[in-house]
Amino acid sequence: PKFTDAWRSHDVPAVVPIPPLPADLASMVGRGKVLYDTLQCAKCHGDGGHGDGPSAKDLKDEWGFPIKAADLTYKWVFKLGYRPQDVFKSMNTGLNGTPMPSYYGVIATDADRWPLISYILSLSPSTRPVLHLADYKQGVLAISKRLDANGRVR
């Protein structure tokens, strides 16, 4: 309803300023893990980021329907995109209609926001896993071992 109400009233949302991407983003993973733990992200996303935290099974969307926590180990399905700037936007605005809140007021500075983003992105492989035509020569059983419960190639 928040989005719909804003759309109906022709409200223009404030632009979310995204600061320049730090050149040393990859080196911030360790500090990001500390923030992930401190902010209790694992309650929903799980210790390994698979979306299997202790609160995950009870999550509901804004309309009361069950919703899955994002699997942070497969960045290609993030709702707002998987570039660091996209994750920055998701964390700072939250995701309307979902239990994902805005952390803008919780994380005080960009110096702390970027390390958390670095850690989140480190949970996914650097390149998207794919199946190639040659993989099918191994047979369906071999291919099925490379798929997770959501049908994603791992």
Side-chain angles (χ1 to χ4, degrees):
K2 293 176 194 172
F3 172 81
T4 308
D5 293 343
W7 180 76
R8 284 183 182 140
S9 66
H10 303 285
D11 286 345
V12 177
V15 174
V16 177
I18 300 175
L21 189 65
D24 60 341
L25 186 67
S27 69
M28 300 178 176
V29 171
R31 172 79 179 121
K33 169 66 170 141
V34 171
L35 288 164
Y36 186 87
D37 294 339
T38 302
L39 295 170
Q40 300 179 352
C41 301
K43 281 189 171 181
C44 296
H45 297 289
D47 290 330
H50 291 280
D52 58 355
S55 299
K57 65 182 178 311
D58 299 323
L59 294 176
K60 305 249 188 268
D61 67 13
E62 193 169 314
W63 301 273
F65 295 104
I67 189 170
K68 290 183 177 185
D71 179 348
L72 303 178
T73 68
Y74 207 82
K75 64 186 177 185
W76 300 277
V77 295
F78 289 180
K79 290 187 187 314
L80 294 182
Y82 63 88
R83 295 177 313 136
Q85 299 89 333
D86 301 329
V87 179
F88 186 96
K89 190 181 343 175
S90 294
M91 279 186 16
N92 288 295
T93 63
L95 295 171
N96 281 348
T98 77
M100 177 65 185
S102 165
Y103 280 89
Y104 190 75
V106 177
I107 304 172
T109 66
D110 293 337
D112 283 333
R113 292 181 186 110
W114 287 119
L116 182 56
I117 291 162
S118 177
Y119 176 70
I120 289 168
L121 291 174
S122 78
L123 296 172
S124 291
S126 58
T127 58
R128 188 173 189 167
V130 297
L131 288 172
H132 298 283
L133 192 55
D135 295 331
Y136 286 89
K137 289 181 180 177
Q138 299 172 7
V140 175
L141 186 59
I143 290 172
S144 69
K145 291 178 183 175
R146 294 197 47 209
L147 303 177
D148 68 12
N150 294 310
R152 298 178 187 143
V153 179
R154 295 289 181 164

